[in-house]
Amino acid sequence: MFYFGADYYPEQWPQERWPEDARLMKAAGFNVVRLAEFAWSKMEPSEGKFDFNWLDRALKTLHDQGIVALLGTPTASPPPWLMTNHPDIFRLREDGLRVTYGNRCEYCPNHPTYHDFTRRIVTALAEHYADHPEVIGWQIDNEMGNRCYCPVCRSKFQDWLKVRYGTLEKMNAVWGTEFWSHIYTDWTQIPVPLATGGSPNPGLALDFRRFISDSYVAYQQMQVDLLREACPDHLITHNFMGFGYEGLNYYDLARTLDLVSWDDYPAGFWLKDRRVTEPEALALGHDTMRGLKHQNFWVMEQQAGPSGWEIVSPTPRPGELRLWAYQSIAHGADGIVFFRWRTARYGTEQYWHGLLDHHGLPGRRYEEIKQMGAELKKVGAAIQGSSVKARVAILQSYDSRFAFQIQPNNPSFQYSEHVTHVYHALFNRNIAVDVISPQADMSNYMLVIAPALHVLDEAVAARLEQYVQAGGTLVLTPRSGVKDEANAVVNLPLPGLLAEVCGITVAEYDSLSADISQSVKFIASGLKKLGTCAARVWCDILEPAGAQVLAAYTADYYAGRPAITLNQYGKGQAVYVGTFGDVSLYQALFGWLVLKLNIPPVLNAPEGIEVAERWQGDRRLLFVLNHTNAPQKVSLPNGYINLMDGKVSHGEETIPGRDLVILASPSESAG
Ligand code: GLA
Ligand code: ZN
């Protein structure tokens, strides 16, 4: 069954309304809801007094219409009585201030008292719902991840360091604590990197981010264990926040969950008089979330209307909500849950619009999603469980992202923007991409791009070397191989452990200001037609040691010096791109590279048309998505079957603006 539904808050509406909601949901083809992730106050109105009656009734009302539920464990939003009785649970922020009551996510993830209350509510819930047929699974907490700097965390951090390093000598050595006289002689002296301490030791600061990540992973695991014990057959997930979020190591957070789900908010924004939606950024989010477990995922919160707390974002144009939801499916979603069912009348999110407006009457957005519900009844089974197969991977490293948070290297450098540029160049060519962890198996990829792989340990360096040795093509960009695991700069010419594979060293580098323009010119024979591209933020001036020069800088004292190189190594090759550039640089370079490597696009299509594919065994499913406002002519492969209307495609077809087609190859053997 393809899961399709909404995030629903029955506790925020009178009970008399629930049957009407359930009826409208069923009419829209919904078969699932996520419930109760913020309902702790209703479940445990006072300490130790549990009340699940209201939730039982809501579940029953929904189930009468064939709708099942994932329940949230409500720990993202503790009740006032709990926080008033135990104010030491409030997180201490980086600036040294305690969070106060009034929002959500105000807890310290390490606090033993909070763990006790968590265990109690999760156990009560799990035992109560173990045998309820309405409940199929759980979402743990909600969008976890704020750092806490409280005394509990400080002492847990010290314990964590003891486990990691064993001895103070070892820790002092890898952090280089001779610098500024920070030699620790007792574990209890080690601080947390509060803002009041100024710029911290980079080794300490990176370890603190890892520690916080491990703290949430452990906090989640505590809940996973309780749920598995009582409800062994239920699905367990958490709602992640896509590519843009970099507070936790998402590979670790996903490891013991059954399923990754995430919250997809395209919204869009105005650029002067033009509305921009950036479908490539969403696609990158999907591909990153699919890569966390290397398996299909759900969207637990799919945008349902204009979003807003204090300010309201542009209204999704007719067709867009449906298009975005199909884009999620095209990239591997096996469940779509819209946030939220009905727009809240009260509370901070009064302007975060649901499928229904405040008044609760069905309107344009509801009808659009209802149409999708009817379509999924036809196509859902053909799609569900099919998978994405990519020959290109982008390697993303949370350690590197943490290190860049601590030291961005250049005020204009943003890891997420850089990776988005790299991704965008492939997205524009409709080339399928997996976003993978540095620990993932790379052997199936023809091309691996490791953008700004800043923190690099010996094991990953060795695996990258073997990948190239065995015939792979590796692309690196600036600031790769700069730091060891402890966030110390390597004692080697850059790119450090990868210099030999790349056949270059970085002779010097130049950190640019935002308004300086450098450029690189392709000079290798066969590449001159790629012309000149902007070089931004950073310029590595390369010294070839066997590599061929593809492009050179055009200005300043390093005019004519190598900027991009290619090195044959073993059976493969490594490209080093010495500057950050913008999308057009990667577009030019990858355009040439994918031709050379014979990596085909899913389909050639005009700009603004995204084509993605999933495979159901040998059967190829093509999703052709028109992200533009205008109709577009697309050449579709002959003989493919349109899954929505059953018609066979014959060459060119026109896809209306903000619309799509889903095609399947004619037989098991095709494609
Ligand atoms: C997040 C949360 C939701 C809601 C939406 C809209 O994704 O998970 O609870 O707050 O944002 O703000
Ligand atoms: Zn804390």
Side-chain angles (χ1 to χ4, degrees):
M1 180 161 61
F2 195 97
Y3 284 105
F4 194 55
D7 300 301
Y8 182 44
Y9 301 91
E11 71 277 19
Q12 298 175 12
W13 304 96
Q15 191 178 324
E16 302 73 62
R17 167 72 192 194
W18 299 351
E20 172 67 356
D21 285 331
R23 190 189 64 77
L24 286 170
M25 286 184 195
K26 185 185 182 179
F30 287 4
N31 51 24
V32 72
V33 288
R34 182 195 62 185
L35 287 184
E37 81 281 10
F38 293 118
W40 196 341
S41 298
K42 294 280 277 189
M43 294 170 176
E44 192 178 358
S46 60
E47 185 168 344
K49 295 231 161 27
F50 296 104
D51 175 12
F52 300 124
N53 282 324
W54 66 274
L55 188 52
D56 292 350
R57 289 197 300 276
L59 286 165
K60 168 89 174 51
T61 307
L62 293 157
H63 204 239
D64 286 347
Q65 302 287 354
I67 297 165
V68 294
L70 284 144
L71 295 180
T73 68
T75 49
S77 198
W81 59 257
L82 198 165
M83 299 308 277
T84 309
N85 292 344
H86 304 279
D88 49 332
I89 292 173
F90 281 111
R91 264 189 310 114
L92 194 74
R93 304 192 319 195
E94 186 172 7
D95 60 6
L97 291 173
R98 281 271 177 192
V99 170
T100 53
Y101 199 79
N103 198 274
R104 60 176 173 183
C105 309
E106 48 265 278
Y107 67 87
C108 162
N110 282 307
H111 205 288
T113 313
Y114 201 60
H115 288 195
D116 288 344
F117 280 100
T118 298
R119 266 188 227 104
R120 269 178 248 163
I121 183 71
V122 173
T123 306
L125 263 171
E127 287 175 353
H128 185 83
Y129 288 108
D131 299 317
H132 275 236
E134 305 93 331
V135 177
I136 61 160
W138 303 88
Q139 171 190 300
I140 292 176
D141 203 278
N142 192 83
E143 296 189 337
M144 285 191 280
N146 292 305
R147 288 196 297 277
C148 179
Y149 295 75
C150 80
V152 172
C153 287
R154 178 171 174 184
S155 126
K156 287 268 167 73
F157 178 47
Q158 292 161 350
D159 294 345
W160 184 94
L161 291 167
K162 255 183 246 174
V163 172
R164 183 172 175 91
Y165 294 112
T167 66
L168 281 168
E169 290 69 38
K170 173 95 189 291
M171 189 199 75
N172 279 313
V174 299
W175 286 359
T177 50
E178 291 84 359
F179 186 81
W180 284 350
S181 187
H182 289 180
I183 301 168
Y184 298 102
T185 56
D186 193 288
W187 295 100
T188 59
Q189 297 161 356
I190 302 164
V192 292
L194 280 161
T196 44
S199 293
N201 176 299
L204 180 148
L206 175 57
D207 276 339
F208 186 70
R209 278 169 163 73
R210 289 177 174 139
F211 156 74
I212 288 291
S213 184
D214 285 359
S215 302
Y216 278 100
V217 172
Y219 178 63
Q220 177 180 258
Q221 191 59 41
M222 179 180 90
Q223 300 199 29
V224 169
D225 291 343
L226 295 169
L227 293 169
R228 293 238 187 268
E229 170 84 33
C231 315
D233 301 328
H234 285 177
L235 277 176
I236 303 181
T237 187
H238 169 68
N239 56 335
F240 292 73
M241 289 182 270
F243 176 77
Y245 179 74
E246 53 182 24
L248 301 179
N249 184 323
Y250 267 180
Y251 296 109
D252 293 343
L253 196 66
R255 193 156 297 125
T256 69
L257 300 175
D258 296 307
L259 181 77
V260 164
S261 68
W262 82 286
D263 301 340
D264 179 29
Y265 289 111
F269 53 90
W270 295 104
L271 198 67
K272 295 194 183 125
D273 57 350
R274 201 161 56 91
R275 198 169 135 277
V276 184
T277 59
E278 299 185 324
E280 69 282 358
L282 309 174
L284 172 58
H286 293 306
D287 292 350
T288 306
M289 296 299 99
R290 196 182 63 244
L292 296 184
K293 291 184 77 71
H294 216 90
Q295 78 186 31
N296 287 357
F297 57 91
W298 283 28
V299 175
M300 197 58 89
E301 298 181 16
Q302 177 80 50
Q303 184 155 351
S307 47
W309 285 15
E310 286 79 23
I311 307 276
V312 182
S313 75
T315 297
R317 289 353 198 197
E320 278 183 337
L321 296 177
R322 169 176 169 269
L323 181 66
W324 292 332
Y326 274 115
Q327 185 194 31
S328 305
I329 296 174
H331 285 266
D334 277 348
I336 300 282
V337 183
F338 289 92
F339 185 90
R340 49 190 275 159
W341 170 244
R342 178 173 170 184
T343 319
R345 291 185 51 221
Y346 308 101
T348 308
E349 297 190 346
Q350 277 171 323
Y351 301 122
W352 203 284
H353 292 71
L355 288 174
L356 305 184
D357 284 321
H358 301 94
H359 52 59
L361 302 171
R364 172 177 74 77
R365 299 194 303 277
Y366 171 83
E367 295 301 334
E368 182 173 317
I369 296 315
K370 185 176 171 186
Q371 176 196 334
M372 183 173 178
E375 289 161 356
L376 283 174
K377 292 220 164 94
K378 284 188 255 164
V379 306
I383 294 169
Q384 209 234 344
S386 60
S387 51
V388 176
K389 289 182 194 163
R391 306 305 307 276
V392 177
I394 291 179
L395 204 137
Q396 71 127 9
S397 146
Y398 286 104
D399 271 354
S400 296
R401 298 180 80 168
F402 293 163
F404 284 128
Q405 289 164 21
I406 299 157
Q407 296 166 299
N409 284 246
N410 177 295
S412 304
F413 177 67
Q414 271 184 11
Y415 180 91
S416 59
E417 185 188 54
H418 172 49
V419 176
T420 305
H421 286 164
V422 166
Y423 181 88
H424 199 167
L426 297 158
F427 176 87
N428 275 349
R429 289 181 178 267
N430 291 312
I431 288 174
V433 175
D434 282 344
V435 179
I436 61 170
S437 108
Q439 272 71 41
D441 178 17
M442 290 178 279
S443 53
N444 280 327
Y445 300 107
M446 297 171 75
L447 173 61
V448 171
I449 304 158
L453 185 55
H454 200 51
V455 175
L456 180 69
D457 64 35
E458 286 179 9
V460 172
R463 293 179 60 251
L464 287 169
E465 196 253 1
Q466 283 152 20
Y467 166 74
V468 178
Q469 184 80 51
T473 297
L474 174 68
V475 176
L476 292 173
T477 67
R479 310 314 288 145
S480 294
V482 176
K483 295 291 189 76
D484 69 14
E485 272 168 287
N487 212 9
V489 177
V490 295
N491 192 12
L492 294 165
L494 299 181
L497 296 169
L498 297 172
E500 197 190 327
V501 182
C502 293
I504 50 117
T505 56
V506 176
E508 283 192 76
Y509 44 68
D510 193 15
S511 178
L512 305 183
S513 87
D515 48 12
I516 284 186
S517 78
Q518 244 294 1
S519 52
V520 294
K521 188 173 182 198
F522 286 92
I523 55 171
S525 71
L527 269 78
K528 290 190 180 131
K529 59 179 182 298
L530 300 180
T532 302
C533 296
R536 299 200 198 287
V537 180
W538 193 273
C539 296
D540 279 337
I541 303 157
L542 307 181
E543 188 62 50
Q548 178 199 359
V549 180
L550 302 183
Y553 294 107
T554 63
D556 215 313
Y557 80 94
Y558 45 99
R561 304 278 298 273
I564 305 177
T565 56
L566 170 74
N567 191 43
Q568 304 297 331
Y569 185 87
K571 294 191 188 129
Q573 55 197 340
V575 175
Y576 190 92
V577 185
T579 184
F580 285 122
D582 50 25
V583 185
S584 58
L585 173 66
Y586 308 109
Q587 190 115 334
L589 184 69
F590 296 156
W592 166 75
L593 205 54
V594 297
L595 270 183
K596 181 174 151 80
L597 296 174
N598 226 334
I599 300 173
V602 176
L603 193 77
N604 282 313
E607 209 183 315
I609 300 285
E610 176 186 0
V611 192
E613 69 185 349
R614 287 174 64 156
W615 293 83
Q616 189 71 274
D618 287 341
R619 194 168 203 210
R620 185 176 184 224
L621 304 171
L622 277 187
F623 295 78
V624 189
L625 310 160
N626 182 358
H627 291 288
T628 74
N629 296 332
Q632 302 282 347
K633 284 197 184 126
V634 186
S635 297
L636 300 175
N638 272 329
Y640 273 48
I641 298 146
N642 183 325
L643 288 183
M644 303 257 200
D645 62 14
K647 290 195 184 128
V648 177
S649 70
H650 292 290
E652 195 170 81
E653 273 181 38
T654 299
I655 303 178
R658 304 184 212 106
D659 205 343
L660 72 144
V661 294
I662 308 175
L663 302 170
S665 60
S667 72
E668 305 290 298
S669 60

